[in-house]
Amino acid sequence: MFTLVPEGFFDPAAARQALAEVAPVAESDQVFTKKVPQFGAVLIYNVSGGADVPPEIFSILQELPTCKEYNKLLCSWKDGELSLAVGQGRSLLMANSYPAPDFTTAEYFIFLALKSLQLNPEVTTICFRHSLPQEAQMSLYRYFKSVECKL
């Protein structure tokens, strides 16, 4: 689980509490933070045991500015989870993760995100951080301006 907090509102001493307000945090969980300077935010996330491994959304946020189009959507769909960030120009509009055991469910959340932001898929480029099955790419091509898979 994670949350993004604007740098101006971030208090390191209250990181656990900020995360607990939006996601379940067990007493045994460790809470970590990573700065996301390109969007003026701090990512707060928890790890159940183990090392400090940021969630997939951190990598997505790092890579979103490299997408060249004005309307952009960068996703990762793996291990039954869809992580995505939506941007317009240099602005971050949304960053979230959803349970998506199959690609149809992932598509549902992608279109829900675009609808909630009132973005038209026909003028939006969707990028994935990894390759997708050919049938998944073809499904997306019906709706989006462009579909890109980074390897």
Side-chain angles (χ1 to χ4, degrees), residues 18-76:
L19 183 60
E21 289 177 8
V22 297
V25 179
E27 284 294 323
S28 60
D29 287 355
Q30 292 183 317
V31 174
F32 297 98
T33 62
K34 295 265 188 220
K35 287 188 178 184
V36 187
Q38 59 272 40
F39 298 116
V42 176
L43 179 70
I44 304 172
Y45 58 97
N46 62 331
V47 176
S48 299
D52 176 8
V53 178
E56 182 70 8
I57 198 70
F58 182 70
S59 298
I60 289 171
L61 292 169
Q62 296 296 311
E63 291 179 30
L64 186 64
T66 68
C67 297
K68 296 177 175 134
E69 298 294 327
Y70 182 73
N71 286 345
K72 49 195 144 215
L73 174 59
L74 182 58
C75 303
S76 173

Side-chain angles (χ1 to χ4, degrees), residues 108-127:
Y108 168 80
F109 285 118
I110 289 166
F111 290 115
L112 181 66
L114 291 177
K115 183 178 180 182
S116 72
L117 296 169
Q118 299 180 354
L119 293 178
N120 183 352
E122 294 175 356
V123 295
T124 303
T125 296
I126 186 168
C127 301

Side-chain angles (χ1 to χ4, degrees), residues 78-149:
K78 63 182 184 180
D79 301 327
E81 182 175 84
L82 172 72
S83 297
L84 62 83
V86 182
Q88 257 186 344
R90 294 182 181 163
S91 298
L92 176 66
L93 302 178
M94 171 188 264
N96 211 340
S97 293
Y98 305 93
D102 55 65
F103 196 71
T104 301
T105 304
E107 282 182 310
Y108 168 80
F109 285 118
I110 289 166
F111 290 115
L112 181 66
L114 291 177
K115 183 178 180 182
S116 72
L117 296 169
Q118 299 180 354
L119 293 178
N120 183 352
E122 294 175 356
V123 295
T124 303
T125 296
I126 186 168
C127 301
F128 278 81
R129 293 191 69 234
H130 50 76
S131 62
L132 285 176
Q134 188 67 26
E135 62 211 31
Q137 285 186 41
M138 295 311 294
S139 177
L140 292 170
Y141 270 117
R142 290 185 279 172
Y143 304 102
F144 286 90
K145 172 184 172 182
S146 179
V147 179
E148 299 176 5
C149 294

